[in-house]
C-alpha cells in the first residue's frame, strides 16, 4: 500500500510514530509522512532545521515532508501558535502531495487540530482516512486547567466532534475512549483497538553498568518520560520528600518537559535531596536506567480523562520486567492489578505513593522479581509491536479501495 501519515511530531522528536512508519516500510509498504519542524519537548526548532532546512528527508525508507511552524517555547501563547501553525501550514502543504495513496492516517496526539491536514487531503483526493486517537479532545484541556463549563471547552467540543466525524475509521489506544467518543458524537462508535506498545529494546536483558547517580545499596525508584502538567511528577517529588530522612530510598526523574524546572524548584523547597534529575536521554539509553531501578513510577494528574489513558511508559516498564508504583487510577490501575505487577494509589496522592514505595521495598527481592516477570508476560500477551502493526495493517487493507466519506 501507499500510506500517507500525518503527524505534527516525527523523528528526531521522541514519538513512536516514527517506529510505526518504519515498521510499515519493512513490511513492503510505501510511507510518506507530513509533519512539522522538530521542536518538542525543548520548545525550540532543532539544530539543522532552522529556516526551512531539511524540509524534505528520507529515513529508513520513509519519505518525510516537513512544514514550518511556530516553535512551542514554554508559554501558552507560543503553544497555541505552534498548534495552529502546523494545522494551517499542513493544510497548504497537502495540496502539493500526489493523490495516489491508498489511505491517509492521522496520528493524533494533542492537539486535535493536527488532524486537519489529513482531513483536507482526504477531502481533496477521496482517499480514505483512518484517525488514530492517542489523546482524546476536548477532554485533554481539563488537564491544562480549562473548566468543562467554559466557552473554551465548549468551542473545542464542537471542533473535536467535527474532526472525529470526518474519519472513515477511528482507532483508539484505550477501550474507554469508545464510550467517550460515543457520548461526544451522539452515536455508538465502532473503533479499532490499537493500544500503544513497548519498544522492543526494553524486552532484551541489559548487561551493562548502571548510569551515574544510581547507588545499588539504595532502593531506586525511577520516573521516565515527559515531565509535563499531565504527568504530575510533582507527586513523585512530594513522595520523595516524605521519605527524605530514610537514606535507603533514592528517586530519579529521567526526562524533560514543561514542568521540569517546577519539579526541580519544588525538590529544593522541600529539601528532597534524594531526588536526582537526569534530564532527557535517547531511548536507546533508557534500558540502563530501567535495569538500575528497583521500581518504576507512573504518575498522572487527577483528571477523569487521564484515568482513561494508559501512558505508554507503563508498557515499557512492564517489558523491562520492573515492578511499578503508580499514583493513578482508571485504566492504568486496572492493567497493573490485572497483571499483578505493582502497587497503586490515587492520582496526586503523595502520601499514598510514599507508602506504596515503602511496601514494595519491604517485600522480599524474589517477590519483586516475580512482580516484574508477571508484568513482562502481560506485556508480551497484550502490548507488542508485532500485534500493533498487524492490526494497523489489517485496518488499512480494509480501507484500501474505498472512498473517503462513502
Amino acid at each position: 500500500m501507499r500510506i500517507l501519515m500525518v503527524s505534527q511530531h516525527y523523528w528526531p522528536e521522541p514519538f513512536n510514530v516514527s517506529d510505526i512508519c518504519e515498521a510499515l516500510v519493512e513490511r513492503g509498504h510505501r510511507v510518506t509522512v507530513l509533519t512539522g519542524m522538530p521542536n518538542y519537548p525543548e520548545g525550540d526548532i532543532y539544530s539543522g532545521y532552522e529556516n526551512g532546512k531539511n524540509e524534505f528527508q528520507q529515513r529508513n525508507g520513509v519519505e518525510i515532508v516537513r512544514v514550518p511552524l511556530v516553535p512551542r517555547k514554554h508559554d501558552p501563547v507560543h503553544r497555541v501558535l505552534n498548534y495552529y501553525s502546523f494545522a494551517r501550514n499542513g493544510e497548504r502543504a497537502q495540496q502539493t502531495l500526489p493523490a495516489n495513496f491508498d489511505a491517509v492516517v492521522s496520528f493524533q496526539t494533542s492537539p486535535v487540530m493536527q488532524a486537519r491536514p489529513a482531513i483536507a487531503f482526504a477531502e481533496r483526493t477521496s482517499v480514505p482516512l483512518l484517525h488514530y486517537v492517542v489523546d482524546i479532545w476536548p477532554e485533554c484541556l481539563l488537564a491544562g486547567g480549562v473548566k468543562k463549563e467554559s466557552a473554551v471547552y465548549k468551542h473545542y467540543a464542537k471542533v473535536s466532534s467535527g474532526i472525529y466525524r470526518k474519519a472513515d475509521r477511528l482507532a483508539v489506544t484505550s477501550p474507554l475512549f469508545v464510550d467517550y467518543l460515543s457520548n461526544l458524537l451522539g452515536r455508538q462508535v465502532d473503533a479499532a483497538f490499537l493500544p500503544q506498545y513497548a519498544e522492543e529494546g526494553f524486552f532484551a536483558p541489559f548487561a551493562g553498568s548502571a548510569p551515574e547517580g544510581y547507588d545499588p545499596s539504595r532502593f531506586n525508584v525511577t520516573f521516565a518520560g515527559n515531565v509535563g502538567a499531565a504527568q504530575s511528577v510533582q507527586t513523585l517529588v512530594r513522595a520523595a520528600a516524605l521519605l527524605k530522612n530514610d537514606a535507603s530510598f533514592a528517586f530519579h526523574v529521567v526526562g524533560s518537559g514543561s514542568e521540569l524546572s517546577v519539579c526541580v524548584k519544588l525538590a529544593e523547597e522541600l529539601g528532597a535531596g534524594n531526588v536526582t534529575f537526569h534530564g532527557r536521554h535517547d531511548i536507546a539509553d533508557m534500558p540502563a536506567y530501567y535495569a538500575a531501578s528497583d521500581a518504576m513510577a507512573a504518575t498522572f494528574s487527577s483528571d477523569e480523562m487521564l484515568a482513561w489513558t494508559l501512558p505508554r511508559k507503563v508498557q515499557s516498564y512492564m517489558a523491562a520486567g520492573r515492578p511499578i508504583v503508580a499514583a493513578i487510577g482508571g485504566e492504568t490501575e486496572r492493567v497493573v492489578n490485572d497483571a499483578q505487577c505493582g502497587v497503586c494509589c490515587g492520582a496526586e496522592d503523595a502520601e499514598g505513593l510514599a507508602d506504596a514505595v515503602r511496601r514494595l521495598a519491604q517485600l522480599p527481592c524474589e517477590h519483586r522479581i516475580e512482580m516484574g516477570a508477571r508484568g513482562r508476560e502481560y506485556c508480551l500477551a497484550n502490548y507488542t509491536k508485532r500485534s500493533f502493526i498487524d492490526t494497523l495493517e489489517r485496518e488499512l487493507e480494509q480501507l484500501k479501495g474505498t472512498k473517503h466519506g462513502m
Side-chain angles (χ1 to χ4, degrees), residues 20-83:
I20 293 167
C21 291
E22 291 173 10
L24 289 168
V25 168
E26 289 174 1
R27 295 201 179 190
H29 306 296
R30 297 178 65 183
V31 180
T32 299
V33 176
L34 180 63
T35 187
M37 290 295 174
N39 69 117
Y40 182 94
E42 285 81 4
D44 295 310
I45 301 296
Y46 284 25
S47 176
Y49 292 89
E50 309 93 334
N51 302 315
K53 295 178 184 176
N54 286 311
E55 179 182 2
F56 301 101
Q57 289 181 295
Q58 185 181 85
R59 182 173 188 266
N60 296 332
V62 179
E63 299 288 340
I64 306 170
V65 179
R66 299 187 186 274
V67 303
L69 46 67
V70 176
R72 60 190 285 122
K73 299 292 184 180
H74 298 287
D75 60 90
V77 172
H78 276 92
R79 188 169 301 178
V80 170
L81 292 173
N82 173 260
Y83 292 162

Coordinates of all heavy atoms in Angstrom, one line a residue, residues 20-83:
I20 N 6.5 3.3 14.0 CA 5.4 2.7 13.3 C 5.6 2.8 11.8 O 5.4 1.8 11.0 CB 4.1 3.3 13.7 CG1 3.8 3.0 15.2 CG2 2.9 2.9 12.8 CD1 2.7 3.9 15.8
C21 N 5.9 4.0 11.3 CA 6.1 4.2 9.9 C 7.2 3.3 9.3 O 7.1 2.7 8.2 CB 6.4 5.6 9.6 SG 5.0 6.7 9.9
E22 N 8.3 3.2 10.0 CA 9.4 2.4 9.6 C 9.1 0.9 9.6 O 9.5 0.1 8.7 CB 10.7 2.6 10.4 CG 11.2 4.0 10.2 CD 12.3 4.4 11.2 OE1 12.8 3.5 11.9 OE2 12.7 5.6 11.2
A23 N 8.2 0.5 10.5 CA 7.8 -0.9 10.5 C 6.9 -1.2 9.3 O 7.0 -2.3 8.8 CB 7.0 -1.2 11.8
L24 N 6.1 -0.3 8.9 CA 5.2 -0.5 7.7 C 6.1 -0.6 6.5 O 5.8 -1.4 5.6 CB 4.2 0.7 7.6 CG 3.1 0.7 8.6 CD1 2.4 2.1 8.6 CD2 2.1 -0.4 8.4
V25 N 7.2 0.2 6.4 CA 8.1 0.1 5.3 C 8.7 -1.3 5.3 O 8.9 -1.9 4.2 CB 9.1 1.2 5.4 CG1 10.3 1.0 4.4 CG2 8.5 2.6 5.1
E26 N 9.1 -1.8 6.4 CA 9.7 -3.1 6.5 C 8.8 -4.2 6.0 O 9.3 -5.2 5.5 CB 10.1 -3.4 7.9 CG 11.3 -2.6 8.4 CD 11.6 -2.8 9.9 OE1 10.9 -3.6 10.5 OE2 12.5 -2.2 10.4
R27 N 7.5 -3.9 6.0 CA 6.5 -4.9 5.5 C 6.2 -4.7 4.1 O 5.3 -5.3 3.5 CB 5.3 -4.9 6.4 CG 5.5 -5.3 7.8 CD 4.2 -5.7 8.5 NE 4.5 -6.2 9.9 CZ 3.5 -6.8 10.6 NH1 2.3 -7.0 10.1 NH2 3.8 -7.2 11.9
G28 N 6.9 -3.8 3.4 CA 6.7 -3.6 2.0 C 5.9 -2.5 1.5 O 5.6 -2.3 0.4
H29 N 5.4 -1.7 2.5 CA 4.5 -0.5 2.1 C 5.4 0.7 1.9 O 6.5 0.8 2.4 CB 3.5 -0.3 3.3 CG 2.7 -1.5 3.6 ND1 1.8 -2.1 2.8 CD2 2.7 -2.2 4.8 CE1 1.3 -3.1 3.4 NE2 1.8 -3.2 4.6
R30 N 4.8 1.6 1.1 CA 5.5 2.9 0.9 C 4.8 4.0 1.7 O 3.6 4.2 1.7 CB 5.4 3.3 -0.6 CG 6.1 2.3 -1.5 CD 5.9 2.7 -3.0 NE 6.6 4.0 -3.3 CZ 6.5 4.5 -4.5 NH1 5.8 4.0 -5.5 NH2 7.1 5.7 -4.7
V31 N 5.6 4.6 2.6 CA 5.1 5.6 3.6 C 5.7 7.0 3.4 O 6.9 7.1 3.3 CB 5.4 5.1 5.0 CG1 4.8 6.0 6.0 CG2 4.8 3.7 5.2
T32 N 4.8 7.9 3.3 CA 5.2 9.3 3.3 C 4.6 10.0 4.6 O 3.4 9.7 4.9 CB 4.6 10.1 2.1 OG1 5.2 9.5 0.9 CG2 5.0 11.6 2.1
V33 N 5.4 10.8 5.3 CA 4.9 11.5 6.5 C 4.9 13.0 6.2 O 5.8 13.6 5.7 CB 5.9 11.2 7.6 CG1 5.5 12.0 8.9 CG2 5.9 9.7 8.0
L34 N 3.8 13.6 6.6 CA 3.6 15.0 6.6 C 3.7 15.5 8.0 O 2.9 15.1 8.8 CB 2.3 15.5 5.9 CG 2.0 17.0 5.9 CD1 3.0 17.7 5.0 CD2 0.6 17.2 5.4
T35 N 4.7 16.3 8.4 CA 5.0 16.6 9.8 C 5.5 18.0 9.9 O 5.6 18.7 8.9 CB 6.0 15.6 10.4 OG1 6.1 15.8 11.8 CG2 7.4 15.7 9.7
G36 N 5.8 18.4 11.1 CA 6.3 19.8 11.3 C 7.8 19.8 11.6 O 8.5 18.7 11.7
M37 N 8.4 21.0 11.7 CA 9.8 21.1 12.0 C 9.9 20.7 13.5 O 9.2 21.1 14.3 CB 10.3 22.5 11.8 CG 10.4 22.9 10.4 SD 11.6 22.0 9.5 CE 11.4 22.5 7.8
P38 N 10.9 19.9 13.8 CA 11.0 19.3 15.2 C 11.4 20.4 16.2 O 12.3 21.2 16.0 CB 12.2 18.3 15.1 CG 13.0 18.7 13.9 CD 12.0 19.3 12.9
N39 N 10.6 20.4 17.3 CA 10.8 21.4 18.4 C 10.4 20.9 19.7 O 10.4 21.6 20.7 CB 10.1 22.7 18.0 CG 8.6 22.6 18.1 OD1 7.9 23.2 18.9 ND2 8.0 21.8 17.3
Y40 N 9.9 19.6 19.8 CA 9.4 19.1 21.1 C 10.5 18.2 21.7 O 11.2 17.4 21.0 CB 8.2 18.2 20.7 CG 7.5 17.6 22.0 CD1 6.4 18.3 22.6 CD2 7.9 16.4 22.5 CE1 5.8 17.7 23.7 CE2 7.3 15.9 23.6 CZ 6.3 16.5 24.2 OH 5.7 16.0 25.3
P41 N 10.7 18.2 23.0 CA 9.9 18.9 24.0 C 10.6 20.2 24.5 O 10.0 21.0 25.2 CB 9.9 17.9 25.2 CG 11.2 17.2 25.1 CD 11.5 17.1 23.6
E42 N 11.8 20.5 24.0 CA 12.5 21.7 24.5 C 11.8 23.0 24.1 O 12.0 24.0 24.8 CB 14.0 21.7 24.0 CG 14.8 20.7 24.7 CD 14.7 19.3 24.2 OE1 14.0 19.1 23.2 OE2 15.3 18.3 24.7
G43 N 11.1 23.0 23.0 CA 10.4 24.2 22.6 C 11.0 25.1 21.5 O 10.5 26.1 21.1
D44 N 12.2 24.7 21.1 CA 13.0 25.4 20.1 C 13.2 24.5 18.9 O 13.3 23.3 19.0 CB 14.3 26.0 20.6 CG 14.1 27.0 21.7 OD1 13.4 27.9 21.5 OD2 14.8 26.8 22.8
I45 N 13.2 25.1 17.7 CA 13.5 24.3 16.5 C 14.8 23.7 16.6 O 15.8 24.3 17.0 CB 13.4 25.2 15.2 CG1 12.1 25.9 15.1 CG2 13.8 24.4 14.0 CD1 10.9 25.0 14.9
Y46 N 14.9 22.4 16.3 CA 16.2 21.6 16.4 C 17.2 22.2 15.5 O 16.9 22.7 14.4 CB 16.0 20.2 16.1 CG 15.3 19.3 17.1 CD1 14.4 19.9 18.1 CD2 15.5 17.9 17.1 CE1 13.7 19.1 19.0 CE2 14.8 17.1 18.0 CZ 14.0 17.7 19.0 OH 13.3 16.9 19.9
S47 N 18.5 22.1 15.9 CA 19.6 22.5 15.1 C 19.6 21.7 13.8 O 19.4 20.5 13.8 CB 20.9 22.3 15.8 OG 22.0 22.6 15.0
G48 N 19.8 22.4 12.7 CA 19.8 21.7 11.4 C 18.4 21.8 10.7 O 18.3 21.4 9.5
Y49 N 17.4 22.4 11.4 CA 16.1 22.5 10.8 C 15.6 24.0 10.8 O 14.5 24.2 10.4 CB 15.1 21.7 11.6 CG 15.3 20.2 11.4 CD1 16.2 19.5 12.3 CD2 14.7 19.4 10.4 CE1 16.4 18.1 12.2 CE2 14.9 18.1 10.3 CZ 15.8 17.4 11.2 OH 16.0 16.1 11.0
E50 N 16.5 24.9 11.1 CA 16.1 26.3 11.1 C 15.9 26.8 9.7 O 16.5 26.3 8.8 CB 17.2 27.1 11.8 CG 17.7 26.6 13.2 CD 18.9 25.7 13.1 OE1 19.1 25.1 12.0 OE2 19.6 25.7 14.1
N51 N 15.0 27.8 9.6 CA 14.8 28.5 8.3 C 14.5 27.5 7.2 O 14.9 27.7 6.1 CB 16.0 29.3 8.0 CG 16.3 30.3 9.1 OD1 15.4 31.0 9.6 ND2 17.6 30.5 9.4
G52 N 13.7 26.5 7.5 CA 13.3 25.6 6.4 C 14.3 24.5 6.0 O 14.0 23.8 5.0
K53 N 15.4 24.4 6.7 CA 16.3 23.4 6.3 C 15.7 22.0 6.5 O 14.9 21.7 7.4 CB 17.6 23.5 7.2 CG 18.4 24.8 7.0 CD 19.6 24.8 7.9 CE 20.3 26.1 7.8 NZ 21.4 26.2 8.8
N54 N 16.1 21.0 5.7 CA 15.7 19.7 5.7 C 14.1 19.6 5.7 O 13.5 18.8 6.4 CB 16.2 19.0 7.0 CG 17.6 18.6 7.0 OD1 18.1 18.0 6.0 ND2 18.4 19.0 8.0
E55 N 13.6 20.3 4.8 CA 12.2 20.3 4.5 C 11.8 18.9 4.0 O 10.7 18.4 4.2 CB 11.8 21.4 3.5 CG 10.3 21.4 3.2 CD 10.0 22.5 2.1 OE1 10.9 23.2 1.7 OE2 8.8 22.6 1.8
F56 N 12.7 18.3 3.2 CA 12.4 17.0 2.6 C 13.6 16.1 3.0 O 14.7 16.4 2.9 CB 12.4 17.0 1.1 CG 11.3 17.9 0.5 CD1 11.6 19.2 0.1 CD2 9.9 17.5 0.5 CE1 10.6 20.1 -0.4 CE2 9.0 18.4 0.1 CZ 9.3 19.6 -0.4
Q57 N 13.2 15.0 3.6 CA 14.2 14.0 4.1 C 13.7 12.6 3.8 O 12.5 12.3 3.5 CB 14.4 14.1 5.6 CG 15.2 15.4 6.0 CD 15.4 15.4 7.5 OE1 14.4 15.5 8.3 NE2 16.6 15.3 8.0
Q58 N 14.6 11.6 3.9 CA 14.3 10.2 3.8 C 15.0 9.5 4.9 O 16.2 9.7 5.1 CB 14.6 9.6 2.5 CG 14.1 8.1 2.4 CD 14.5 7.5 1.1 OE1 15.6 7.0 0.9 NE2 13.6 7.5 0.1
R59 N 14.3 8.7 5.7 CA 15.0 8.0 6.8 C 14.4 6.6 6.9 O 13.2 6.4 7.0 CB 14.8 8.7 8.1 CG 15.5 8.0 9.3 CD 15.4 8.9 10.6 NE 16.2 8.3 11.6 CZ 15.7 7.5 12.6 NH1 14.5 7.1 12.6 NH2 16.5 7.1 13.5
N60 N 15.3 5.6 6.8 CA 14.9 4.2 6.8 C 13.7 3.9 5.9 O 12.7 3.2 6.3 CB 14.5 3.8 8.3 CG 15.8 3.9 9.2 OD1 16.9 3.7 8.7 ND2 15.5 4.2 10.5
G61 N 13.7 4.5 4.7 CA 12.7 4.2 3.7 C 11.5 5.0 3.8 O 10.6 4.9 2.9
V62 N 11.4 5.9 4.8 CA 10.2 6.8 4.9 C 10.5 8.1 4.3 O 11.5 8.7 4.6 CB 9.8 6.9 6.4 CG1 8.6 7.9 6.6 CG2 9.5 5.6 7.1
E63 N 9.6 8.6 3.5 CA 9.7 9.9 2.9 C 9.1 10.9 3.9 O 8.0 10.8 4.3 CB 9.0 10.0 1.6 CG 9.5 9.1 0.5 CD 10.9 9.5 -0.1 OE1 11.2 10.7 0.1 OE2 11.6 8.7 -0.6
I64 N 9.9 12.0 4.2 CA 9.4 12.9 5.2 C 9.3 14.3 4.6 O 10.2 14.8 3.9 CB 10.4 13.0 6.4 CG1 10.7 11.6 7.0 CG2 9.9 14.0 7.5 CD1 11.9 11.6 8.0
V65 N 8.1 14.9 4.7 CA 7.8 16.2 4.2 C 7.5 17.1 5.5 O 6.6 16.8 6.2 CB 6.6 16.3 3.3 CG1 6.4 17.7 2.8 CG2 6.9 15.3 2.1
R66 N 8.3 18.1 5.7 CA 8.1 19.0 6.9 C 7.6 20.3 6.5 O 8.0 20.9 5.5 CB 9.5 19.2 7.6 CG 10.1 17.8 8.1 CD 11.3 18.1 8.9 NE 12.0 16.8 9.3 CZ 11.7 16.1 10.3 NH1 10.7 16.4 11.1 NH2 12.3 14.9 10.5
V67 N 6.7 20.9 7.4 CA 6.2 22.2 7.1 C 6.6 23.1 8.3 O 6.9 22.7 9.4 CB 4.6 22.2 7.1 CG1 4.1 21.2 6.0 CG2 4.0 21.8 8.4
P68 N 6.8 24.4 8.0 CA 7.2 25.3 9.0 C 6.1 25.5 10.1 O 4.9 25.3 9.8 CB 7.4 26.7 8.3 CG 6.5 26.5 7.1 CD 6.6 25.1 6.7
L69 N 6.5 25.8 11.3 CA 5.6 26.1 12.4 C 6.2 27.0 13.4 O 7.4 27.2 13.4 CB 5.1 24.8 13.0 CG 6.1 23.7 13.4 CD1 7.1 24.1 14.5 CD2 5.4 22.4 13.8
V70 N 5.4 27.6 14.2 CA 5.9 28.4 15.3 C 6.4 27.5 16.4 O 5.6 26.6 16.9 CB 4.8 29.4 15.8 CG1 5.3 30.2 17.0 CG2 4.3 30.3 14.7
P71 N 7.6 27.6 16.9 CA 8.1 26.7 18.0 C 7.3 26.9 19.3 O 6.8 28.0 19.5 CB 9.5 27.1 18.2 CG 9.7 28.5 17.6 CD 8.7 28.5 16.5
R72 N 7.1 25.8 20.0 CA 6.2 25.9 21.2 C 6.7 26.7 22.3 O 5.9 27.1 23.2 CB 5.8 24.5 21.6 CG 6.9 23.6 22.0 CD 6.5 22.1 22.1 NE 5.8 21.9 23.4 CZ 4.6 21.4 23.4 NH1 4.0 21.0 22.3 NH2 4.0 21.2 24.6
K73 N 8.0 26.9 22.4 CA 8.6 27.6 23.5 C 8.1 27.0 24.9 O 8.0 25.8 25.0 CB 8.4 29.1 23.4 CG 8.9 29.7 22.1 CD 10.4 29.8 22.1 CE 10.9 30.5 20.9 NZ 12.4 30.5 20.9
H74 N 7.9 27.9 25.8 CA 7.5 27.5 27.2 C 6.3 28.3 27.7 O 6.2 28.5 29.0 CB 8.7 27.5 28.1 CG 9.8 26.5 27.7 ND1 9.7 25.2 27.8 CD2 11.0 26.8 27.2 CE1 10.8 24.6 27.4 NE2 11.6 25.6 27.0
D75 N 5.5 28.9 26.9 CA 4.4 29.7 27.3 C 3.2 29.4 26.5 O 3.2 28.8 25.4 CB 4.8 31.2 27.2 CG 5.0 31.6 25.8 OD1 4.1 32.0 25.1 OD2 6.2 31.5 25.3
P76 N 2.0 29.6 27.1 CA 0.7 29.3 26.5 C 0.5 29.9 25.1 O 0.0 29.2 24.2 CB -0.3 29.7 27.5 CG 0.4 29.8 28.8 CD 1.8 30.2 28.5
V77 N 1.0 31.1 24.9 CA 0.8 31.8 23.6 C 1.5 31.1 22.5 O 0.9 30.8 21.4 CB 1.2 33.3 23.7 CG1 1.2 33.9 22.3 CG2 0.3 34.1 24.7
H78 N 2.8 30.8 22.8 CA 3.5 30.1 21.7 C 3.0 28.7 21.5 O 3.0 28.2 20.3 CB 5.0 30.0 22.1 CG 5.8 31.2 21.8 ND1 6.0 32.3 22.6 CD2 6.4 31.6 20.6 CE1 6.7 33.2 22.0 NE2 7.0 32.8 20.8
R79 N 2.5 28.0 22.5 CA 1.9 26.7 22.3 C 0.7 26.7 21.4 O 0.6 25.9 20.5 CB 1.6 26.1 23.7 CG 1.2 24.6 23.6 CD 1.1 23.9 24.9 NE 2.4 24.0 25.6 CZ 2.6 23.6 26.9 NH1 1.6 23.0 27.5 NH2 3.8 23.7 27.4
V80 N -0.2 27.7 21.6 CA -1.3 27.8 20.7 C -0.9 28.1 19.3 O -1.4 27.6 18.4 CB -2.3 28.9 21.3 CG1 -3.4 29.2 20.3 CG2 -2.9 28.5 22.6
L81 N 0.1 29.0 19.2 CA 0.6 29.4 17.8 C 1.2 28.2 17.2 O 1.1 27.9 16.0 CB 1.6 30.5 17.9 CG 1.0 31.9 18.3 CD1 2.1 32.9 18.5 CD2 0.0 32.4 17.3
N82 N 1.9 27.4 18.0 CA 2.5 26.1 17.5 C 1.5 25.2 16.9 O 1.6 24.7 15.8 CB 3.3 25.5 18.6 CG 3.8 24.1 18.3 OD1 3.2 23.1 18.6 ND2 4.9 24.1 17.6
Y83 N 0.4 25.0 17.7 CA -0.7 24.1 17.2 C -1.3 24.6 15.9 O -1.5 23.8 15.0 CB -1.8 24.0 18.3 CG -1.3 23.4 19.6 CD1 -2.1 23.5 20.8 CD2 -0.2 22.5 19.7 CE1 -1.7 22.9 22.0 CE2 0.1 21.9 20.9 CZ -0.6 22.1 22.0 OH -0.3 21.5 23.2

